[in-house]
Amino acid sequence: IVIRKFMKIFGILLLSLLTLSAAAQQQGQSEQDKIKEEKQLREYIDKNVEQTGINLGLEDWQLFYVDSILTHDVTAMTAEIKQLQASKVSNSAVYEQVQDKWLEAIYQAMGKVLNEDQWNKYLKQGAAREKKARDKRKAKLEAKGEK
């Protein structure tokens, strides 16, 4: 449930940030807007690290790694999506592929940080369902490419 909420909230936040970003870029985004956007992203990551820590019973060292993973991957994903927007890519499937790539990276990294009990909780809270959906989209994309 937490992971599903995370994904929904993440998607909504990402879309709103990107919408704000696109609108601001068209009007010559000011430095204050960039700082505000970065602050919102940092707050979002901090909130998710805290929630994950509570829900999975993470130790301090695990919280550090989860924070590092999310900070790197979410920042990289946001940058890649902004680059697509700057290139005026309009195909939503391309954006979904970028999101899937980075969410898969988060999934794989979390597997290295969590112990077996925590990993099972993580999977039950929606990560397994999200992984299955990503794998299904990837298989569908690969099947299209082979035709």
Side-chain angles (χ1 to χ4, degrees):
I1 295 172
V2 172
I3 300 302
R4 195 172 347 148
K5 285 182 183 177
F6 168 76
M7 298 307 295
K8 286 180 183 177
I9 292 169
F10 179 74
I12 291 168
L13 177 69
L14 186 61
L15 289 175
S16 65
L17 285 175
L18 294 175
T19 303
L20 287 172
S21 175
Q25 285 177 353
Q26 290 175 352
Q27 300 171 358
Q29 186 176 24
S30 71
E31 194 64 31
Q32 288 180 341
D33 291 337
K34 288 180 185 179
I35 291 169
K36 183 178 178 182
E37 186 177 304
E38 289 173 7
K39 184 179 177 185
Q40 288 175 330
L41 189 59
R42 182 73 251 167
E43 289 171 357
Y44 171 75
I45 291 169
D46 289 345
K47 182 178 178 184
N48 280 291
V49 169
E50 183 180 344
Q51 265 313 62
T52 302
I54 291 168
N55 293 328
L56 301 179
L58 301 182
E59 296 181 28
D60 289 343
W61 69 269
Q62 291 173 307
L63 286 171
F64 172 80
Y65 279 109
V66 169
D67 181 68
S68 297
I69 291 163
L70 291 179
T71 298
H72 175 269
D73 292 353
V74 171
T75 302
M77 178 173 56
T78 303
E80 195 169 336
I81 288 174
K82 284 181 182 179
Q83 190 174 29
L84 290 173
Q85 287 178 327
S87 300
K88 301 194 187 297
V89 174
S90 60
N91 185 348
S92 62
V94 175
Y95 290 91
E96 188 173 59
Q97 288 171 5
V98 169
Q99 186 176 4
D100 283 351
K101 176 179 91 172
W102 288 106
L103 292 176
E104 181 66 21
I106 292 169
Y107 176 87
Q108 295 297 326
M110 292 293 283
K112 296 175 183 176
V113 173
L114 304 176
N115 65 35
E116 189 175 341
D117 290 338
Q118 292 166 333
W119 180 249
N120 289 330
K121 281 183 187 177
Y122 178 71
L123 293 175
K124 286 178 184 175
Q125 291 175 349
R129 185 175 22 263
E130 294 297 325
K131 169 75 170 145
K132 186 177 178 180
R134 283 193 306 275
D135 289 346
K136 187 176 180 180
R137 286 189 295 269
K138 184 177 179 182
K140 185 177 180 180
L141 186 65
E142 290 172 354
K144 276 186 177 179
E146 291 177 7
K147 290 181 180 179

